[in-house]
Protein backbone atom coordinates (compact mmCIF):
# COMPACT_ATOMS: atom_id res chain seq x y z
CA UNK A 1 0.00 0.00 0.00
CA UNK A 2 1.43 3.40 -0.96
CA UNK A 3 1.84 6.35 1.44
CA UNK A 4 -1.27 8.29 0.39
CA UNK A 5 -3.43 5.15 0.79
CA UNK A 6 -1.93 4.67 4.29
CA UNK A 7 -2.60 8.32 5.11
CA UNK A 8 -6.25 7.98 4.03
CA UNK A 9 -6.68 4.78 6.04
CA UNK A 10 -5.28 6.53 9.10
CA UNK A 11 -7.72 9.45 8.67
CA UNK A 12 -10.66 7.03 8.34
CA UNK A 13 -9.53 5.18 11.47
CA UNK A 14 -9.01 8.38 13.47
CA UNK A 15 -11.78 10.68 12.22
CA UNK A 16 -14.24 8.48 10.35
CA UNK A 17 -15.56 4.93 10.47
CA UNK A 18 -16.35 1.82 8.46
CA UNK A 19 -19.76 0.42 9.28
CA UNK A 20 -20.42 -2.58 7.03
CA UNK A 21 -20.52 -1.03 3.55
CA UNK A 22 -20.84 2.56 4.73
CA UNK A 23 -17.71 4.63 5.14
CA UNK A 24 -17.94 7.85 7.09
CA UNK A 25 -15.58 10.50 5.76
CA UNK A 26 -17.48 13.72 6.35
CA UNK A 27 -14.85 15.28 8.63
CA UNK A 28 -12.21 15.39 5.89
CA UNK A 29 -13.58 14.39 2.44
CA UNK A 30 -17.18 15.14 1.65
CA UNK A 31 -18.67 17.59 4.14
CA UNK A 32 -15.79 19.26 5.93
CA UNK A 33 -12.96 18.98 3.44
CA UNK A 34 -9.17 18.86 3.93
CA UNK A 35 -7.85 20.54 0.77
CA UNK A 36 -4.27 19.34 1.26
CA UNK A 37 -5.43 15.73 1.56
CA UNK A 38 -7.60 16.14 -1.56
CA UNK A 39 -4.60 17.63 -3.37
CA UNK A 40 -2.43 14.60 -2.52
CA UNK A 41 -5.20 12.16 -3.51
CA UNK A 42 -5.65 13.99 -6.83
CA UNK A 43 -1.90 13.91 -7.49
CA UNK A 44 -1.77 10.14 -6.95
CA UNK A 45 -4.75 9.48 -9.25
CA UNK A 46 -3.33 11.87 -11.87
CA UNK A 47 -0.01 10.00 -11.87
CA UNK A 48 -1.89 6.83 -12.93
CA UNK A 49 -3.40 8.56 -15.98
CA UNK A 50 -0.47 10.79 -16.98
CA UNK A 51 0.10 9.04 -20.33
CA UNK A 52 -3.57 8.49 -21.28
CA UNK A 53 -4.16 11.69 -23.31
CA UNK A 54 -7.13 12.94 -21.33
CA UNK A 55 -8.96 16.06 -22.54
CA UNK A 56 -11.31 16.57 -19.60
CA UNK A 57 -12.34 15.14 -16.25
CA UNK A 58 -16.07 14.61 -15.62
CA UNK A 59 -17.94 14.11 -12.35
CA UNK A 60 -21.42 14.65 -10.86
CA UNK A 61 -22.24 17.22 -8.23
CA UNK A 62 -21.66 17.51 -5.36
CA UNK A 63 -19.07 15.37 -3.57
CA UNK A 64 -17.18 14.43 -6.74
CA UNK A 65 -16.27 18.05 -7.43
CA UNK A 66 -13.32 18.33 -5.02
CA UNK A 67 -11.47 15.27 -6.31
CA UNK A 68 -12.31 16.13 -9.94
CA UNK A 69 -10.80 19.60 -9.48
CA UNK A 70 -7.65 18.25 -7.87
CA UNK A 71 -7.19 15.52 -10.49
CA UNK A 72 -7.83 17.96 -13.34
CA UNK A 73 -5.40 20.48 -11.85
CA UNK A 74 -2.65 17.85 -11.67
CA UNK A 75 -3.32 16.72 -15.25
CA UNK A 76 -3.56 20.31 -16.49
CA UNK A 77 -7.03 19.86 -18.03
CA UNK A 78 -10.51 21.30 -17.29
CA UNK A 79 -13.18 19.42 -15.37
CA UNK A 80 -16.94 19.28 -15.87
CA UNK A 81 -19.47 18.55 -13.16
CA UNK A 82 -22.83 17.22 -14.30
CA UNK A 83 -25.63 19.18 -12.66
CA UNK A 84 -28.55 17.61 -10.83
CA UNK A 85 -30.87 20.54 -11.58
CA UNK A 86 -30.91 22.02 -15.05
CA UNK A 87 -30.50 25.80 -15.07
CA UNK A 88 -32.96 27.65 -17.36
CA UNK A 89 -29.95 29.01 -19.26
CA UNK A 90 -28.91 25.44 -20.22
CA UNK A 91 -31.05 25.00 -23.31
CA UNK A 92 -28.97 22.49 -25.29
CA UNK A 93 -27.91 19.57 -23.14
CA UNK A 94 -27.12 15.91 -22.71
CA UNK A 95 -28.99 14.11 -19.91
CA UNK A 96 -29.12 10.69 -18.26
CA UNK A 97 -30.74 9.44 -15.12
CA UNK A 98 -29.04 7.64 -12.27
CA UNK A 99 -30.69 5.66 -9.48
CA UNK A 100 -29.07 6.08 -6.07
CA UNK A 101 -29.38 2.92 -3.98
CA UNK A 102 -28.14 4.71 -0.88
CA UNK A 103 -30.71 7.52 -1.26
CA UNK A 104 -33.39 5.36 -2.94
CA UNK A 105 -34.19 7.98 -5.55
CA UNK A 106 -33.54 8.74 -9.19
CA UNK A 107 -31.65 11.82 -10.25
CA UNK A 108 -31.18 13.21 -13.73
CA UNK A 109 -27.71 14.48 -14.57
CA UNK A 110 -27.41 17.35 -17.07
CA UNK A 111 -24.38 18.53 -19.05
CA UNK A 112 -24.48 21.43 -21.49
CA UNK A 113 -23.70 20.57 -25.10
CA UNK A 114 -21.21 23.44 -25.01
CA UNK A 115 -18.74 21.68 -22.74
CA UNK A 116 -18.17 18.27 -24.42
CA UNK A 117 -17.01 18.07 -28.03
CA UNK A 118 -17.25 15.02 -30.28
CA UNK A 119 -14.11 12.87 -30.16
CA UNK A 120 -12.87 14.12 -26.78
CA UNK A 121 -11.42 11.70 -24.25
CA UNK A 122 -12.93 12.02 -20.78
CA UNK A 123 -12.04 10.48 -17.44
CA UNK A 124 -14.75 9.98 -14.79
CA UNK A 125 -13.85 11.00 -11.22
CA UNK A 126 -15.80 10.66 -7.97
CA UNK A 127 -15.34 10.29 -4.23
CA UNK A 128 -16.97 6.81 -4.06
CA UNK A 129 -17.69 4.12 -6.63
CA UNK A 130 -20.55 2.24 -4.98
CA UNK A 131 -22.80 0.46 -7.46
CA UNK A 132 -21.78 2.43 -10.51
CA UNK A 133 -25.07 4.18 -11.26
CA UNK A 134 -23.39 7.59 -11.52
CA UNK A 135 -20.63 6.11 -13.72
CA UNK A 136 -23.28 4.58 -16.00
CA UNK A 137 -25.22 7.85 -16.37
CA UNK A 138 -22.00 9.72 -17.18
CA UNK A 139 -21.13 6.99 -19.70
CA UNK A 140 -24.51 7.61 -21.42
CA UNK A 141 -23.92 11.37 -21.51
CA UNK A 142 -20.48 10.87 -23.05
CA UNK A 143 -21.98 8.54 -25.63
CA UNK A 144 -24.65 11.13 -26.53
CA UNK A 145 -21.81 13.62 -27.09
CA UNK A 146 -19.89 11.25 -29.37
CA UNK A 147 -16.93 11.43 -26.99
CA UNK A 148 -14.97 8.60 -25.34
CA UNK A 149 -14.96 7.56 -21.68
CA UNK A 150 -11.49 6.28 -20.98
CA UNK A 151 -12.04 5.04 -17.42
CA UNK A 152 -12.76 5.91 -13.82
CA UNK A 153 -10.73 7.34 -10.94
CA UNK A 154 -12.21 7.42 -7.45
CA UNK A 155 -11.00 7.82 -3.89
CA UNK A 156 -12.77 4.72 -2.55
CA UNK A 157 -13.96 1.83 -4.72
CA UNK A 158 -16.58 -0.27 -2.93
CA UNK A 159 -17.29 -2.53 -5.92
CA UNK A 160 -15.35 -5.39 -7.43
CA UNK A 161 -14.54 -3.31 -10.52
CA UNK A 162 -10.88 -3.61 -11.39
CA UNK A 163 -11.12 -1.11 -14.25
CA UNK A 164 -11.80 1.75 -11.84
CA UNK A 165 -8.61 3.20 -10.35
CA UNK A 166 -8.93 3.89 -6.62
CA UNK A 167 -6.79 4.94 -3.68
CA UNK A 168 -8.54 2.38 -1.43
CA UNK A 169 -10.92 -0.52 -2.01
CA UNK A 170 -13.55 -1.84 0.40
CA UNK A 171 -11.28 -4.84 0.89
CA UNK A 172 -8.41 -2.56 2.05
CA UNK A 173 -10.83 -0.93 4.47
CA UNK A 174 -12.33 -4.04 5.98
CA UNK A 175 -8.85 -5.55 6.37
CA UNK A 176 -7.24 -2.50 7.94
CA UNK A 177 -9.93 -0.48 9.74
CA UNK A 178 -11.62 -1.03 13.05
CA UNK A 179 -15.13 -1.96 11.91
CA UNK A 180 -18.45 -1.80 13.70
CA UNK A 181 -21.55 -3.45 12.27
P1 LIG B 1 -22.77 5.21 -7.19
O1 LIG B 1 -22.18 6.44 -6.56
O2 LIG B 1 -21.74 4.17 -7.57
O3 LIG B 1 -23.68 5.50 -8.31
O4 LIG B 1 -23.66 4.47 -6.09
P2 LIG B 1 -24.81 4.96 -5.11
O5 LIG B 1 -25.98 5.36 -5.95
O6 LIG B 1 -25.06 3.91 -4.11
O7 LIG B 1 -24.20 6.25 -4.39
C1 LIG B 1 -25.04 7.31 -4.08
C2 LIG B 1 -24.40 8.40 -3.30
O8 LIG B 1 -23.89 7.93 -2.05
C3 LIG B 1 -23.25 9.08 -3.99
O9 LIG B 1 -23.37 10.47 -3.70
C4 LIG B 1 -22.01 8.47 -3.32
O10 LIG B 1 -20.90 9.34 -3.36
C5 LIG B 1 -22.50 8.25 -1.91
N1 LIG B 1 -21.86 7.13 -1.21
C6 LIG B 1 -21.81 5.85 -1.64
N2 LIG B 1 -21.20 5.09 -0.73
C7 LIG B 1 -20.86 5.91 0.31
C8 LIG B 1 -20.18 5.67 1.55
O11 LIG B 1 -19.78 4.56 1.91
N3 LIG B 1 -20.00 6.76 2.36
C9 LIG B 1 -20.43 8.01 2.01
N4 LIG B 1 -20.17 9.01 2.86
N5 LIG B 1 -21.08 8.26 0.84
C10 LIG B 1 -21.28 7.21 -0.01
P3 LIG B 1 -24.44 11.30 -4.52
O12 LIG B 1 -25.81 10.78 -4.39
O13 LIG B 1 -23.93 11.42 -5.91
O14 LIG B 1 -24.58 12.67 -3.87
P4 LIG B 1 -23.51 13.70 -3.30
O15 LIG B 1 -23.36 13.33 -1.86
O16 LIG B 1 -22.25 13.56 -4.06
O17 LIG B 1 -24.15 15.02 -3.51
Amino acid sequence: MNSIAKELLERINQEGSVNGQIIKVDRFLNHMVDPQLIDRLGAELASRFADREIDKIITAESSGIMIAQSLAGHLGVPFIYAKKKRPLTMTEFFAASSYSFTKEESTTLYVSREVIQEGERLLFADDFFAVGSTFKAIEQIIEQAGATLIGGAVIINKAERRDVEAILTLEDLTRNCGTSS
Side-chain angles (χ1 to χ4, degrees):
M1 188 175 291
N2 62 25
S3 63
I4 182 66
K6 282 188 191 142
E7 182 184 346
L8 180 57
L9 258 180
E10 214 170 284
R11 294 293 291 268
I12 294 171
N13 270 324
Q14 285 168 3
E15 299 168 53
S17 62
V18 179
N19 194 338
Q21 298 251 324
I22 300 298
I23 300 128
K24 199 168 178 295
V25 291
D26 54 9
R27 283 168 63 188
F28 51 96
L29 275 190
N30 68 9
H31 186 37
M32 183 158 76
V33 179
D34 177 340
Q36 274 92 25
L37 176 65
I38 291 278
D39 183 61
R40 289 190 287 277
L41 294 166
E44 167 61 24
L45 289 172
S47 72
R48 302 188 198 177
F49 289 92
D51 58 355
R52 299 290 302 278
E53 293 176 16
I54 289 154
D55 294 307
K56 285 167 190 168
I57 304 298
I58 186 162
T59 189
E61 63 179 0
S62 53
S63 312
I65 294 176
M66 289 76 77
I67 189 64
Q69 176 166 4
S70 171
L71 179 51
H74 285 283
L75 288 171
V77 298
F79 78 96
I80 298 164
Y81 62 95
K83 299 197 177 193
K84 290 182 176 169
K85 195 166 184 343
R86 183 172 64 85
L88 289 175
T89 50
M90 194 194 282
T91 49
E92 302 277 314
F93 54 88
F94 307 113
S97 102
S98 134
Y99 181 78
S100 167
F101 290 91
T102 49
K103 293 184 179 161
E104 292 185 335
E105 61 185 23
S106 262
T107 311
T108 303
L109 299 180
Y110 299 93
V111 173
S112 163
R113 282 184 176 262
E114 289 174 14
V115 300
I116 311 181
Q117 313 308 323
E118 201 177 323
E120 282 183 333
R121 291 163 58 80
L122 284 91
L123 172 65
F124 171 75
D126 212 346
D127 54 347
F128 287 93
F129 186 100
V131 293
S133 44
T134 310
F135 186 85
K136 211 175 191 176
I138 292 289
E139 199 170 23
Q140 286 166 11
I141 285 172
I142 291 175
E143 205 178 299
Q144 290 166 30
T148 304
L149 176 63
I150 70 124
V154 301
I155 301 175
I156 298 171
N157 184 358
K158 306 204 305 179
E160 298 280 306
R161 297 242 337 208
R162 299 286 166 211
D163 59 334
V164 174
E165 286 287 338
I167 304 292
L168 289 176
T169 62
L170 190 60
E171 201 185 332
D172 296 327
L173 288 165
T174 45
R175 214 180 314 122
N176 296 292
C177 283
T179 56
S180 51
S181 53

